Amino acid sequence: MSSSILPLRACDLRFLVDTRPLIDGISLTIEPGSSTVVLGPNGAGKSLLLRLLHGMLEPTSGTITWEKSSSGDLRRSQSMVFQRPVLLRRSVEANIAYALCALSIPRPRRSEMIDLALERAGLTQARRVQARLLSVGEQQRLSVARALASEPDILFLDEPTASLDPVSVQRIETLVLEANNRGTAIVLVTHDIGQARRLGRDVIFLHDGKDVERGPAETFMLNPRTEVARAY
């Protein structure tokens, strides 16, 4: 990808609610084409960290900077997928078209991008089906396909396969891996250690809002350094 908005750099991020730090002094760098898994117990701050990085929330203190920082670049070049599918009451293809239109992508390009996104997701035959009539697994696959249709520089995923059947998990993981191979950086929150092994090259482990351990995924999985990571 040319002219990437990455690297993303976060420095000493803090997010407080009623003086309680939910994110406490986290610093990190996300490089182009990287694949980072965020692990940790419930309440560790994983989803909150993603929302801060994505720009949905403002940190109480600390900074988040991008290689390219214009609002248009940031809006077009990053996407996020949530645990539960968020779909419009429209057809499968119209859901993708709406997202591309919102990014001001010209109509002639939108048609090609929709076709490619549907093909990659295995949803071509369902293009005119109402999105909310799809199975839950298909809905989430559509959510991922829609997020990737614009070929973003970075994709944030917040437990995208929670409660899905193994076939749906495999199809979504394939979409994510293929996007990463094309150059999209991945930041994935998951509780699934197997998924972390399959998708992550780097791990960040959070506990009580703090970044207590990080490193190559293979090293972390074989021999976590901290007691809380070993317990997890």
Side-chain angles (χ1 to χ4, degrees):
M1 297 180 182
S2 61
S3 195
S4 174
I5 62 171
L6 299 176
L8 158 64
R9 297 181 178 90
C11 181
D12 198 23
L13 288 186
R14 302 186 82 228
F15 187 85
L16 278 63
V17 174
D18 296 331
T19 72
R20 179 190 172 200
L22 302 184
I23 294 292
D24 193 1
I26 293 178
S27 298
L28 56 82
T29 299
I30 304 296
E31 299 287 353
S34 59
S35 181
T36 304
V37 174
V38 184
L39 296 175
N42 290 332
K46 303 182 299 298
S47 296
L48 181 54
L49 177 61
L50 253 62
R51 284 160 173 74
L52 290 167
L53 296 177
H54 187 47
M56 295 177 66
L57 295 171
E58 290 287 335
T60 303
S61 62
T63 59
I64 297 172
T65 58
W66 303 80
E67 185 69 15
K68 293 176 66 177
S69 57
S70 74
S71 59
D73 289 330
L74 294 182
R75 188 168 60 90
R76 286 189 296 270
S77 300
Q78 59 168 320
S79 296
M80 185 162 177
V81 175
F82 300 91
Q83 182 174 337
R84 295 182 179 179
V86 180
L87 300 174
L88 302 173
R89 294 181 183 274
R90 305 183 183 193
S91 69
V92 167
E93 66 178 350
N95 266 266
I96 300 175
Y98 182 87
L100 296 177
C101 180
L103 295 175
S104 301
I105 293 173
R107 184 182 295 273
R109 285 193 61 209
R110 292 204 298 264
S111 179
E112 296 178 6
M113 295 168 79
I114 292 167
D115 289 345
L116 182 58
L118 292 173
E119 179 182 351
R120 286 171 172 167
L123 292 170
T124 300
Q125 299 303 314
R127 65 187 306 144
R128 292 183 175 83
V129 175
Q130 289 296 306
R132 296 189 181 186
L133 297 180
L134 299 174
S135 70
V136 175
E138 289 171 331
Q139 288 184 19
Q140 191 66 312
R141 204 172 351 138
L142 172 57
S143 296
V144 176
R146 182 179 58 187
L148 290 172
S150 61
E151 300 284 357
D153 292 328
I154 184 168
L155 175 65
F156 298 100
L157 300 130
D158 189 2
E159 298 192 61
T161 61
S163 303
L164 295 185
D165 63 87
V167 172
S168 295
V169 171
Q170 190 273 330
R171 288 177 173 172
I172 289 172
E173 287 184 359
T174 297
L175 274 175
V176 173
L177 280 171
E178 289 175 348
N180 188 232
N181 290 336
R182 292 193 301 271
T184 294
I186 303 299
V187 183
L188 167 71
V189 166
T190 184
H191 284 287
D192 185 336
I193 296 298
Q195 184 170 79
R197 290 177 184 273
R198 293 187 294 270
L199 298 183
R201 291 194 294 275
D202 299 291
V203 165
I204 297 173
F205 186 84
L206 302 187
H207 184 74
D208 288 339
K210 296 179 180 179
D211 167 17
V212 298
E213 187 167 348
R214 69 174 66 187
E218 184 175 359
T219 302
F220 176 87
M221 298 299 177
L222 290 174
N223 187 27
R225 298 189 307 276
T226 59
E227 183 178 346
V228 289
R230 288 193 295 271
Y232 178 84

